[in-house]
Every structure is written in structure tokens, then in C-alpha cells.
Amino acid sequence: MEVRERIAFEEKALPEALDRLKASPGFAGGMILSTCNRVEVAVTADDGADAHSAIEGFLADARQVERSWVSPYLYRFDCSEAIRHLFRVASSLDSMVVGEPQILGQLKNAYALAKEHGAMSGFLDLVLTRAFNVAKRVRTETDDRRKRRVG
């Protein structure tokens, strides 16, 4: 909890943080999801860019912590693992309470803010749009199954 609190972004600080993220080396697109339970930075990077290092540096600088302090607490996903993770987050399968509806709204808000500030790339935009569609389908189909069991 202490770590999350030190690297979390207040809502009013997110526009400036997105501008800093956009200035990161190799940045092609990205967004910041900062909630009471998680801080996630999702990016697409130029070929050959060291996105892991850039995000580490971004978080350390933006949150005024030592890079060596924050690094051990970060987890990283690349390519298909990153896409799978975003789908799991959107569908509330990667939540403290599986199926809670709040995370999808928070992710949509993070997406909208990134888009509004010109931080959203075509590929990441496509992935998130698809994740939102899948999350809706997951919710609809699991609600239908639950209603059939109860009814």
C-alpha cells in the first residue's frame, strides 16, 4: 500500500503526467491508470526503444522517488502478454474482487483522458477499444449465466 501511495497520481495531476509520458524516449502512445488499488502505465513504443527503462524513469521522475527504489515493485508485460493483461483488467478478472464493475469505468476514464491529451496511439487505441467490447461481453454473458442459475 505504501508503494502504491507513493507512485499514485491524483486525478488533477494526470494531464501533466501524460505530457511527461509523451516526452519519454521512444514513446508512441500510452495511458496512465491510477486507482486506489493500482497504478499502471500502458504504452506502445517505437521499434528498438527501451520502454521498460523509459517507464521506470518516467515514474521515478514524476513521483520524485529513486529509480532503484521503484524498480523492484514494477511488473512488466510485453506484446501479447500486455494485451492479455489489459483485457483481464477491463474484464475485471485482474481485480481484488473479481467481477467488480468499477475498474472498467476507471480504465475507460484513463483511456478518454489519454485520448483527450493526444497520448493515445492507433494500436493502443485499437487494443483498448477491443478490450472494452470483450469486457462488455464478459459481463453480459456472466450476468446471463448467473440469472439462469438463480432463476
Side-chain angles (χ1 to χ4, degrees):
M1 188 62 95
E2 174 193 344
V3 173
R4 197 218 56 85
E5 286 176 1
R6 286 190 65 193
I7 63 171
F9 292 88
E10 292 182 21
E11 190 173 337
K12 66 183 178 196
L14 283 170
E16 181 184 335
L18 283 166
D19 289 340
R20 289 178 104 167
L21 182 61
K22 287 186 333 186
S24 297
F27 176 89
M31 64 165 221
I32 302 166
L33 175 63
S34 187
T35 73
C36 60
N37 292 323
R38 70 177 74 228
V39 176
E40 298 198 15
V41 180
V43 301
T44 51
D46 297 334
D47 290 339
D50 185 356
H52 295 252
S53 180
I55 291 172
E56 254 181 36
F58 160 73
L59 282 172
D61 292 346
R63 304 315 304 145
Q64 299 175 345
V65 297
E66 291 294 322
R67 192 176 189 149
S68 60
W69 177 84
V70 74
S71 183
Y73 297 108
L74 302 179
Y75 59 91
R76 299 150 181 92
F77 297 111
D78 291 312
C79 304
S80 61
E81 285 181 339
I83 293 169
R84 183 174 188 264
H85 176 72
L86 284 172
F87 275 55
R88 288 180 55 79
V89 170
S91 299
S92 188
L93 298 174
D94 186 63
S95 294
M96 290 180 77
V97 178
V98 174
E100 61 90 12
Q102 194 173 26
I103 190 63
L104 179 58
Q106 293 166 329
L107 188 60
K108 284 182 173 181
N109 289 341
Y111 164 81
L113 188 64
K115 199 166 178 114
E116 179 183 320
H117 287 272
M120 188 56 56
S121 71
F123 181 72
L124 187 57
D125 194 351
L126 176 68
V127 167
L128 285 162
T129 300
R130 185 68 181 133
F132 297 148
N133 291 333
V134 168
K136 181 178 178 183
R137 184 173 174 198
V138 166
R139 173 142 297 122
T140 299
E141 290 183 14
T142 56
D143 281 350
D144 288 349
R145 287 186 187 138
R146 190 172 45 235
K147 286 176 187 174
R148 283 193 295 251
R149 276 198 317 256
V150 172

